[in-house]
Amino acid sequence: MCISSNAPPRLVGQIQRKPLPKPAEQAFTVRCRFIMGSILAANFAVFWAVPVFGMGQVWKLGLYKILRPIFNFFDQNTLLRSFAKTFVYSKELYTDFFVLSIFLALQNFTALGVALYWQVRLATVMGKMFSPCCLLQIKYEYLPWWLVFAYYCQWVGLGGRGMGGAYTLSHKEGHHRGGGLYKNWIASSFGNVWENWMGFLYGIVPYNFSTSHVFLHHKLNGGKGDAMYQWDLDRSSWSDLMLFQYRVMVYMTGWSSLETFRALADSNTVMAKNYKMLLKGMVMYWIVCPIASLSLLIGVAGCSVISSLKFMFYIWFEPMCGMAFFLALINFAFHAFIELDENGRHVACVNSTVIFDGDDDYWGEDDHMAHHYYTNGGFACKRRCSLVEQVPQLATGISLLTSRLNMR
């Protein structure tokens, strides 16, 4: 098993412990969650496996040699960085994100524009009853598979730089809630641009990073109460991975974190504020935007109800499902272990894993310990800063591993 003999720490608050369910009820709940996790795994295999692994291989097999120098040319351009420092970001350090943000936004607007054009064009042609294409369009009343596949490939991005970029930017903004990354004119007008606006296209519920990720995941580092905790699961078990898939999907919707904040709201003003923020984001994601989008597609563009619902499923809902599976998969490795010291504190080199000499550590995420303990650094800082801490902690890690092996 991957858990410590000591019980992990919990959130400080007045959460009333629910009575344990009866064995039959517990078994039924576990079975239902396993089925939901299995459905998510099958969904990933059908819709996302080829785009994710394909775009990764295309990049690693040689395309990076052509495109990386082009990106570096713009990324290291002093004029662009000076512009970003003066007009966009609150600190020069954050100009690391400027070119990435521009390229990724242009890519997403282009891809979404093409998908919308096809959807609206389809509806327009269907309206022309004497058009020679009329019968063809009526027969194929949906986005063609090749277009959905192409959209998912750009969503993933070469080397995962599409979904990786969107989540990196949203995550960074979440640690600077209220638009702290940006100049006042952006912060006051838009707040966190990627977390609360562009993130809609990546299955990101607004304010989820600012609330759940910061105040639960980073506060507890995978311990009990973390919306993505796994100390009760065995990472060598396929069935436990399916249970974790369900857990992460519920986290992605915002529901599990909202319940935690609600339970703590009466005794903690910070948690009460987080509850209101996340609830607002969930209303925006699950109610306001779907209704507005469907109203525009059906009422303004003239699309049929069926084709509009299919459009929302492929472009709106599927990205959340795909990212939920992927996040569960990598977090099953990032936070597979928990160990506490004699004072009950997490041992940093155990509860967050580190990958040495990775092939493509563009985001600085190979070192997940730096992700949790050096969150305010830029890409380059996160790549190197934790190495200073790792030297003494490596001895601790080896000692802990030796003790575990001796116990067997």
Side-chain angles (χ1 to χ4, degrees):
M1 294 294 290
C2 302
I3 61 175
S4 168
S5 57
N6 300 315
R10 298 169 179 262
L11 277 175
V12 177
Q14 302 299 321
I15 299 182
Q16 295 183 351
R17 185 175 294 180
K18 297 180 180 180
L20 292 175
K22 296 178 180 180
E25 295 176 354
Q26 189 174 10
F28 178 75
T29 299
V30 170
R31 190 174 296 111
C32 291
R33 293 179 178 181
F34 172 80
I35 292 173
M36 290 298 297
S38 300
I39 292 174
L40 286 170
N43 179 81
F44 183 86
V46 172
F47 289 100
W48 296 102
V50 174
V52 169
F53 294 108
M55 295 299 282
Q57 287 303 305
V58 168
W59 176 261
K60 292 184 69 174
L61 291 177
L63 201 56
Y64 73 92
K65 296 180 181 179
I66 301 173
L67 296 182
R68 181 176 284 168
I70 298 175
F71 177 84
N72 290 339
F73 171 79
F74 290 99
D75 185 47
Q76 298 169 11
N77 185 281
T78 55
L79 183 62
L80 290 176
R81 284 185 172 265
S82 177
F83 175 86
K85 175 186 175 182
T86 304
F87 299 103
V88 181
Y89 294 103
S90 58
K91 294 182 180 180
E92 184 177 4
L93 174 68
Y94 304 146
T95 58
D96 283 351
F97 304 107
F98 183 60
V99 171
L100 169 65
S101 299
I102 296 300
F103 280 5
L104 194 56
L106 291 174
Q107 172 184 314
N108 276 279
F109 286 138
T110 302
L112 182 62
V114 171
L116 283 171
Y117 171 78
W118 188 277
Q119 179 77 10
V120 174
R121 170 182 172 273
L122 186 151
T124 302
V125 173
M126 286 186 62
K128 298 177 181 179
M129 298 305 296
F130 296 101
S131 168
C133 299
C134 177
L135 295 178
L136 179 65
Q137 296 296 337
I138 291 175
K139 183 179 180 180
Y140 299 101
E141 190 184 351
Y142 51 78
L143 294 177
W145 279 112
W146 64 265
L147 183 57
V148 174
F149 178 77
Y151 183 87
Y152 287 171
C153 285
Q154 73 80 31
W155 185 93
V156 172
L158 291 167
R161 279 159 166 74
M163 62 180 185
Y167 266 74
T168 296
L169 294 169
S170 299
H171 167 265
K172 189 64 179 178
E173 290 179 347
H175 283 276
H176 300 78
R177 61 197 294 172
L181 249 64
Y182 303 104
K183 296 290 187 182
N184 289 333
W185 72 272
I186 297 179
S188 59
S189 302
F190 303 101
N192 285 347
V193 177
W194 284 90
E195 181 192 14
N196 299 336
W197 300 104
M198 293 296 295
F200 278 119
L201 298 176
Y202 286 88
I204 299 174
V205 172
Y207 304 106
N208 208 0
F209 278 98
S210 296
T211 57
S212 176
H213 181 81
V214 174
F215 288 90
L216 295 181
H217 183 56
H218 272 261
K219 181 179 178 63
L220 296 168
N221 294 307
K224 181 66 174 177
D226 184 355
M228 300 177 72
Y229 77 94
Q230 56 173 287
W231 65 271
D232 57 333
L233 301 176
D234 179 3
R235 75 166 184 169
S236 65
S237 167
W238 174 260
S239 61
D240 279 18
L241 175 60
M242 295 301 100
L243 295 177
F244 192 58
Q245 293 289 345
Y246 166 83
R247 185 175 294 173
V248 173
M249 183 62 187
V250 176
Y251 158 78
M252 290 284 291
T253 66
W255 179 254
S256 57
S257 302
L258 188 73
E259 283 291 287
T260 301
F261 291 139
R262 183 188 60 81
L264 292 168
D266 292 338
S267 59
N268 190 310
T269 56
V270 174
M271 296 303 177
K273 183 177 181 180
N274 287 332
Y275 172 79
K276 293 178 181 178
M277 288 180 65
L278 185 55
L279 179 61
K280 175 184 175 181
M282 291 177 65
V283 170
M284 290 172 60
Y285 189 91
W286 292 111
I287 299 177
V288 175
C289 285
I291 291 177
S293 299
L294 288 172
S295 298
L296 290 173
L297 287 173
I298 299 171
V300 178
C303 301
S304 69
V305 174
I306 294 177
S307 67
S308 298
L309 290 174
K310 288 181 177 179
F311 182 89
M312 294 297 294
F313 174 79
Y314 291 130
I315 305 300
W316 184 264
F317 184 66
E318 261 302 322
M320 173 178 281
C321 296
M323 183 52 75
F325 179 91
F326 191 74
L327 283 179
L329 194 63
I330 62 176
N331 273 279
F332 221 49
F334 277 155
H335 297 290
F337 304 93
I338 287 179
E339 186 71 38
L340 307 179
D341 62 18
E342 61 276 7
N343 298 316
R345 294 190 299 262
H346 281 272
V347 179
C349 66
V350 175
N351 68 9
S352 299
T353 56
V354 178
I355 300 172
F356 288 98
D357 299 324
D359 291 338
D360 186 15
D361 187 23
Y362 179 75
W363 313 113
E365 291 297 331
D366 279 7
D367 189 339
H368 205 64
M369 187 167 68
H371 173 106
H372 273 261
Y373 295 95
Y374 300 91
T375 56
N376 291 325
F379 292 160
C381 174
K382 287 171 68 176
R383 291 191 189 106
R384 66 172 181 267
C385 61
S386 65
L387 294 177
V388 177
E389 184 176 315
Q390 284 167 13
V391 175
Q393 293 214 49
L394 282 175
T396 304
I398 293 172
S399 175
L400 290 170
L401 178 60
T402 303
S403 64
R404 287 284 181 264
L405 292 175
N406 291 335
M407 288 173 62
R408 295 189 180 189

